[in-house]
Amino acid sequence: MEEVRKIIAEKTAENDTAEVKKFLFSCIEYTTLKCTDSETSVMAFVERVNRWDDEQPDLPHPATICVYPCFASIVSECLGVDGVGIACVSGSFPSSQTFLEVKIAETALAIKDGATEIDMVMPVGRFLAGDEEGVTDEIREMKAVCGDEVALKVILETGCLKTPENIRKASFLAMEAGADYIKTSTGKEAISATPEAAYVMCQCIKEYYARTGRKVGFKPAGGISTSMDAIIYYTIVKEVLGEEWLNNKLFRIGTSRLADVIINEL
């Protein structure tokens, strides 16, 4: 996509600064989503964030800690840093292949245990089969469980959607159904976040805002392991959506590796 290549070639270098890296740190959703996660490992994961607050006084704290729903209570009990949210992947992550009743129950339990944000996967199979009404209804049901207090991020799994047209359609569908953020990927498929998908999604957010006045956030996730990866997404958001979206209420980054990378570089 020529527009993306031009933005990256002409604009990225100017954003490769310590100030931008500090900002990106504040946008990180520090994530552990492994089959080997346990109460012990999640406690240690949270303790790392607590320790950064003492050891890195010049850095902001990450936006959230992101875990499976069964660990929400552990994060809630162990987290000692004010302002860090608790995000839970919910609704049969990463496949989204189960009964809606199960998705709703899992989400409600996560919120009861302390989740302040929910990341759900759009039912991609239903979308690709043309059941847009069913997909819309499911997102609305999940947003109803979250209510106004708990943000809902809808993961489009853009690598499985394959075409810009599908990404565009899914972006608008999710936003119109109540998504507070649209997110690229689970990180569990062969293709995760890409600058091309990010560009299409940000264009959709811009159009949706112009039409409705509602600001929807953007979250790239999956495969973001270097500061330059993150700076590229920062640059796309800056160029397409503008400075208004450059805050950690509207721009998030899903990653487990980037935090340590930024700390080492700074």
Side-chain angles (χ1 to χ4, degrees):
M1 191 182 291
E2 183 58 35
E3 299 96 327
V4 179
R5 287 193 289 271
K6 185 176 181 182
I7 287 172
I8 293 172
E10 296 180 1
K11 301 292 185 179
T12 302
E14 68 190 48
N15 296 319
D16 187 5
T17 67
E19 183 181 0
V20 168
K21 289 177 184 177
K22 284 184 179 181
F23 167 72
L24 290 170
F25 194 88
S26 78
C27 299
I28 288 173
E29 299 208 0
Y30 194 48
T31 302
T32 182
L33 298 171
K34 303 172 185 173
C35 68
T36 54
D37 285 343
S38 65
E39 290 190 3
T40 302
S41 70
V42 170
M43 287 173 67
F45 193 78
V46 176
E47 185 51 37
R48 211 167 299 150
V49 175
N50 293 338
R51 197 165 61 246
W52 288 336
D53 201 48
D54 294 327
E55 296 175 356
Q56 308 292 337
D58 295 333
L59 278 180
H61 56 66
T64 74
I65 293 173
C66 183
V67 295
Y68 283 110
C70 55
F71 298 117
S73 61
I74 297 295
V75 180
S76 183
E77 290 165 12
C78 298
L79 184 58
V81 184
D82 290 339
V84 178
I86 302 171
C88 285
V89 293
S90 188
S92 192
F93 179 93
S95 69
S96 192
Q97 299 286 20
T98 192
F99 302 103
L100 179 57
E101 293 84 355
V102 173
K103 297 180 184 184
I104 288 171
E106 184 180 38
T107 301
L109 287 167
I111 294 170
K112 179 181 73 68
D113 281 352
T116 59
E117 302 181 1
I118 294 293
D119 292 34
M120 69 167 285
V121 183
M122 179 186 76
V124 178
R126 295 182 77 174
F127 175 85
L128 293 175
D131 185 10
E132 294 178 25
E133 183 177 352
V135 174
T136 299
D137 288 346
E138 187 163 309
I139 295 170
R140 283 181 177 152
E141 291 270 9
M142 293 286 277
K143 182 54 187 170
V145 179
C146 294
D148 294 332
E149 300 301 315
V150 176
L152 177 67
K153 308 187 199 87
V154 178
I155 304 166
L156 307 184
E157 202 66 283
T158 52
C160 294
L161 297 181
K162 298 187 183 301
T163 68
E165 293 75 20
N166 276 343
I167 295 170
R168 181 178 172 82
K169 185 186 295 184
S171 295
F172 280 113
L173 185 154
M175 291 188 288
E176 287 162 1
D180 298 295
Y181 295 77
I182 51 176
K183 175 178 169 182
T184 58
S185 325
T186 62
K188 304 297 186 182
E189 295 290 333
I191 300 174
S192 292
T194 66
E196 292 76 15
Y199 180 82
V200 173
M201 292 168 70
C202 287
Q203 287 282 4
C204 292
I205 291 170
K206 182 178 181 179
E207 290 178 35
Y208 182 76
Y209 174 63
R211 176 159 54 84
T212 68
R214 186 168 80 90
K215 290 181 177 178
V216 174
F218 172 64
K219 179 181 173 181
I224 301 172
S225 57
T226 70
S227 58
M228 185 50 65
D229 291 337
I231 289 167
I232 286 171
Y233 291 112
Y234 171 96
T235 304
I236 291 169
V237 169
K238 182 179 178 182
E239 296 302 316
V240 177
L241 291 168
E243 300 279 350
E244 285 184 79
W245 261 261
L246 292 180
N247 61 75
N248 74 351
K249 301 300 181 186
L250 290 169
F251 178 47
R252 298 286 181 78
I253 307 165
T255 180
S256 58
R257 289 168 285 185
L258 183 62
D260 286 321
V261 169
I262 289 178
I263 287 172
N264 289 336
E265 289 183 2
L266 292 176

